[in-house]
């Protein structure tokens, strides 16, 4: 008979690890999107968006977003809802701003870059907005964290 008491993870740890888990999954989704987008469009410039930048930026961004979620969660009883709305609005704002990016003289390359970056922002933004749902899922916490 095991008399050891099972410790429950702290709220901060759960938020951090949920963000990290989503980051790992999103990295795989974004890498797949990157490959598919480039194969479909023939877009080749990779100085800004490449395998290394996707891996590091997506993972680190969602790790930090886990901490941001914790701050929202702790700040108010409605923190989860405010966080959800904030990240949906932030994602929409970033998509709007991406529409104005002009890096090259070539209109096709600009359009393709906006499509590639926009897709990655949508993936990360929607996943970030969904973080509270995984955070509250007992099955997720028990199975993953």
């Amino acid at each position: 008979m095991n008399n050891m008491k099972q410790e429950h993870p702290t709220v901060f740890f759960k938020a951090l690890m949920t963000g990290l888990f989503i980051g790992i999954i999103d990295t795989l989704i974004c890498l797949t999107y990157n490959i598919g987008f480039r194969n479909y469009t023939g877009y080749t410039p990779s100085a800004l968006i490449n395998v290394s930048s996707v891996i590091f930026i997506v993972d680190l961004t969602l790790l930090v977003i886990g901490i941001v979620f914790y701050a929202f969660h702790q700040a108010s009883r409605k923190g989860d809802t405010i966080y959800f709305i904030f990240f949906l609005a932030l994602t929409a704002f970033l998509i709007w701003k991406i529409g104005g990016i002009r890096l090259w003289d070539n209109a096709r390359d600009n359009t393709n870059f906006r499509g590639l970056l926009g897709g990655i922002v949508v993936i990360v933004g929607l996943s970030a907005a969904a973080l509270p749902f995984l955070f509250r899922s007992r099955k997720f916490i028990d199975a993953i964290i």
Side-chain angles (χ1 to χ4, degrees):
M1 179 182 239
N2 189 356
N3 288 335
M4 292 190 69
K5 191 166 92 173
Q6 183 179 356
E7 291 185 34
H8 295 286
T10 64
V11 173
F12 179 77
F13 181 79
K14 284 176 25 181
L16 189 70
M17 290 299 110
T18 302
L20 181 60
F21 178 79
I22 292 171
I24 293 167
I25 299 303
D26 272 8
T27 297
L28 298 173
I29 294 169
C30 288
L31 288 173
T32 302
Y33 175 74
N34 183 30
I35 292 167
F37 184 89
R38 288 177 186 277
N39 285 339
Y40 181 74
T41 63
Y43 178 71
T44 57
S46 62
L48 297 173
I49 301 175
N50 54 51
V51 172
S52 298
S53 65
V54 169
I55 290 170
F56 289 114
I57 292 171
V58 171
D59 280 335
L60 290 175
T61 298
L62 279 150
L63 186 66
V64 170
I65 287 172
I67 296 169
V68 170
F69 170 74
Y70 171 77
F72 274 86
H73 182 76
Q74 293 298 106
S76 167
R77 289 186 328 128
K78 301 262 186 206
D80 293 12
T81 304
I82 296 167
Y83 167 90
F84 176 76
I85 293 168
F86 173 77
F87 268 93
L88 286 181
L90 179 62
T91 301
F93 174 75
L94 291 175
I95 294 301
W96 174 66
K97 292 302 281 181
I98 287 169
I101 293 176
R102 309 244 185 291
L103 295 177
W104 295 278
D105 294 332
N106 182 332
R108 184 171 183 235
D109 282 346
N110 281 320
T111 300
N112 286 336
F113 178 77
R114 289 190 300 262
L116 181 57
L117 181 60
I120 291 170
V121 167
V122 167
I123 292 165
V124 172
L126 293 178
S127 295
L131 192 146
F133 301 105
L134 279 179
F135 176 83
R136 283 188 246 124
S137 169
R138 186 73 184 153
K139 287 183 182 179
F140 171 76
I141 299 301
D142 290 343
I144 305 298
I145 295 178

